[in-house]
């Protein structure tokens, strides 16, 4: 393969994974990664821990600074303002021009804003980038009261961040329970209770009307649609993120919410690809996947797949496999596998178990007719990724999963054996007599690797 210059805009998990995998497969390619946010790749999910004092910024960088030169991956910290697709060149904010043979757009996301009155006031912001974190440090210095708007993952992270500094937090969620457009009712209620137990003033069924400020254009409060006024010195707008593609909107590149791509990450322009948060599939990879996948795990897979396609003669389509995501709600860990929608489809059955303290829960969705496992939610219970990858891909019946549930656990030693109580509850509800199997999934897995 002839030497080519691959330029990647964006140094998040998608862009960096693509760069590293290209280098593994092609020793001769010239690779340049451009980002205006930071020079070096860092773990975006760790931003909250910098604010909370658990980590320093340097701790969020998975690779030493020398790693990039050793692997001949050039880094440039710059903002790209113009792309001349016809002549294959980029123009930076400082006027510098960069030419490419292959262009990979991995520009990520930015906080979603919906033009609330007062959202331009000082002390009002979203949270996505390293610059957002620096702004939050400035905006929250010495304050006592804050309002967080938006009942999703970024919202609860910001609430936890603020609470860690003893800042009083009022959390406005327009839904009936926290994140109940994603979580089934029982899980949503459990998380809502947990938020309240951590001293957060959670206001459900509450929508923001406007943000109010003083003569210095500094935020001093918010008003809800119920006309309630809440005083505060900071407002975090956390209603979601949107693809960061504003500078591409008036070009010949096909865009919708994101950059439109096919299953091979190809755009409508030759030698131009898009991956990660900014990419939007023209056709969803499968019936249970969204056209835009703004998740760390899928970003990594997209980077790996595109790198393969750029360096091999026979490209392959993106095949994401079983859906997976994880998060933390304060100190409750959350994992989800497969298809667990907020509202149960008619052709699906569900089994839900929650411990009496309301801190551990597990849900299994399975086909109403075949009893084949469709999806799993787990709270406060670490599950083995490989187990449910196999179970869902191989279409295990829910009975098979239950019988080997002890092997699905990835909890530390001496952790309570919740699986026994789950099997007992399942037997009682479904009139069965299942018991843990002696031949384990782990033995089978070890055997397959031998």
């Amino acid at each position: 393969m002839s030497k080519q210059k691959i330029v990647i805009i964006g140094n998040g998990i998608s862009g960096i994974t693509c760069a590293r995998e290209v280098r593994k497969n092609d020793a001769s390619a010239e690779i340049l990664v451009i980002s205006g946010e930071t020079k070096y790749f860092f773990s975006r999910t760790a931003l909250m821990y910098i604010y909370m004092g658990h980590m320093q910024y340097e701790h969020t960088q998975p690779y030493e600074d020398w790693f990039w030169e050793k692997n001949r991956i050039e880094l440039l910290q710059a903002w790209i303002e113009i792309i001349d697709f016809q002549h294959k060149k980029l123009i930076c904010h400082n006027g510098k021009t960069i030419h490419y043979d292959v262009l990979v757009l991995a520009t990520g996301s930015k906080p979603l804003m919906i033009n609330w009155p007062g959202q331009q006031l000082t002390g009002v912001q979203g949270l996505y980038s390293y610059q957002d974190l620096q702004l939050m440090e400035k905006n929250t210095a010495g304050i006592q009261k804050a309002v967080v708007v938006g009942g999703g993952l970024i919202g609860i992270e910001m609430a936890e961040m603020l609470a860690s500094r003893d800042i009083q937090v009022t959390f406005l969620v327009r839904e009936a329970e926290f994140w109940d457009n994603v979580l089934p009712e029982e899980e949503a209620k459990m998380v809502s209770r947990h938020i309240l137990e951590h001293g957060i003033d959670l206001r459900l069924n509450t929508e923001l009307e406007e943000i109010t400020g003083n003569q210095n254009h500094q935020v001093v409060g918010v008003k809800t649609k119920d006309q309630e006024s809440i005083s505060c010195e900071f407002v975090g707008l956390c209603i979601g993120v949107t693809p960061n593609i504003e500078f591409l909107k008036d070009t010949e590149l096909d865009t919708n919410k994101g950059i439109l791509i096919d299953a091979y990450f190809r755009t409508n322009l030759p030698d131009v690809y898009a991956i990660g948060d900014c990419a939007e599939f023209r056709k969803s990879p499968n019936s249970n996947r969204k056209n835009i996948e703004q998740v760390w795990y899928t970003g990594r897979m997209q980077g790996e797949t595109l790198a393969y396609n750029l360096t091999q003669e026979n490209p392959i389509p993106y095949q994401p496999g079983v859906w997976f995501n994880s998060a933390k709600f304060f100190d409750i860990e959350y994992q989800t596998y497969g298809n667990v929608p907020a509202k149960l489809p008619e052709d699906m059955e569900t089994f839900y178990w929650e411990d009496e303290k309301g801190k551990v829960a597990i849900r299994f969705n399975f086909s109403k007719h075949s009893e084949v496992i469709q999806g799993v939610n787990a709270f406060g219970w670490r599950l083995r990724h490989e187990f449910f990858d196999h179970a869902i891909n191989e279409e295990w019946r829910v009975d098979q999963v239950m019988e080997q549930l002890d092997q699905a656990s990835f909890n530390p030693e001496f952790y309570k054996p919740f699986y026994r109580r789950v099997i007992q509850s399942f037997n009682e509800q479904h009139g069965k007599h299942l018991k843990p199997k002696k031949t384990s999934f782990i033995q089978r897995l070890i055997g397959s690797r031998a």
Side-chain angles (χ1 to χ4, degrees), residues 9 52 65 105 145 222 232 289 301 429 441:
I9 303 178
M52 294 168 69
D65 293 353
L105 298 168
K145 295 182 179 180
V222 302
C232 63
R289 306 301 284 249
M301 286 190 286
Q429 288 188 30
F441 168 78

Side-chain angles (χ1 to χ4, degrees), residues 208-423:
L208 177 66
E209 177 75 19
E210 66 174 303
I211 305 166
T212 55
N214 59 22
Q215 65 273 23
N216 297 320
H217 302 286
Q218 177 76 37
V219 62
V220 296
V222 302
K223 184 181 289 185
T224 71
K225 288 196 173 180
D226 295 329
Q227 299 305 301
E228 179 186 6
S229 294
I230 303 170
S231 64
C232 63
E233 302 142 280
F234 174 84
V235 175
L237 298 179
C238 305
I239 59 170
V241 295
T242 188
N244 182 26
I245 62 168
E246 203 61 39
F247 73 112
L248 300 166
K249 283 291 190 179
D250 295 322
T251 69
E252 56 266 51
L253 190 69
D254 279 355
T255 63
N256 185 34
K257 286 185 177 179
I259 301 165
L260 291 170
I261 56 170
D262 64 11
Y264 299 85
F265 307 103
R266 297 175 297 205
T267 68
N268 63 306
L269 302 178
D271 301 318
V272 180
Y273 302 83
I275 51 176
D277 285 17
C278 69
E280 179 179 354
F281 290 98
R282 292 180 184 272
K283 182 180 180 182
S284 180
N286 65 48
S287 60
N288 294 324
R289 306 301 284 249
K290 295 180 179 179
N291 293 64
I292 300 177
E293 297 188 329
Q294 294 164 319
V295 176
W296 188 92
Y297 307 97
T298 56
R300 184 189 62 190
M301 286 190 286
Q302 290 182 20
E304 290 171 343
T305 305
L306 177 57
Y308 179 91
N309 291 346
L310 293 177
T311 56
Q312 306 298 321
E313 290 185 2
N314 298 310
I316 58 174
Y318 176 55
Q319 298 172 323
V322 174
W323 170 255
F324 170 69
N325 198 8
S326 66
K328 277 189 74 175
F329 305 115
F330 287 89
D331 54 346
I332 292 182
E333 296 185 21
Y334 160 67
Q335 290 176 278
T336 185
Y337 299 85
N339 187 20
V340 191
K343 303 299 181 186
L344 191 70
E346 290 184 2
D347 61 348
M348 205 179 281
E349 292 279 358
T350 193
F351 167 74
Y352 178 77
W353 175 87
E354 184 179 309
D355 82 323
E356 64 277 2
K357 294 182 180 179
K359 306 298 180 188
V360 180
I362 195 163
R363 178 184 298 277
F364 298 94
N365 279 2
F366 51 96
S367 171
K368 185 176 289 186
H369 303 292
S370 66
E371 294 193 351
V372 167
I373 193 77
Q374 300 292 313
V376 180
N377 273 354
F379 289 78
W381 185 338
R382 290 184 186 177
L383 298 176
R384 203 175 291 276
H385 193 132
E386 291 170 314
F387 182 96
F388 285 102
D389 224 33
H390 279 274
I392 295 173
N393 272 322
E394 295 175 8
E395 299 184 338
W396 291 10
R397 294 176 68 249
V398 67
D399 287 13
Q400 292 177 268
V401 176
M402 287 292 174
E403 289 172 337
Q404 300 186 59
L405 190 56
D406 61 322
Q407 302 301 322
S409 293
F410 198 58
N411 283 324
E413 192 177 4
F414 306 124
Y415 208 82
K416 289 183 180 179
F418 294 114
Y419 71 91
R420 296 184 186 278
R421 292 157 60 189
V422 172
I423 294 173

Side-chain angles (χ1 to χ4, degrees), residues 403-404 406-407 419-420 435-444:
E403 289 172 337
Q404 300 186 59
D406 61 322
Q407 302 301 322
Y419 71 91
R420 296 184 186 278
K435 295 181 180 180
K437 271 193 172 182
K438 298 296 183 183
T439 54
S440 73
F441 168 78
I442 300 302
Q443 291 171 334
R444 172 188 164 191

Side-chain angles (χ1 to χ4, degrees), residues 70 104 121 205-206 230 408 449:
K70 179 181 178 181
V104 178
L121 292 167
N205 294 306
T206 304
I230 303 170
R449 290 176 174 173

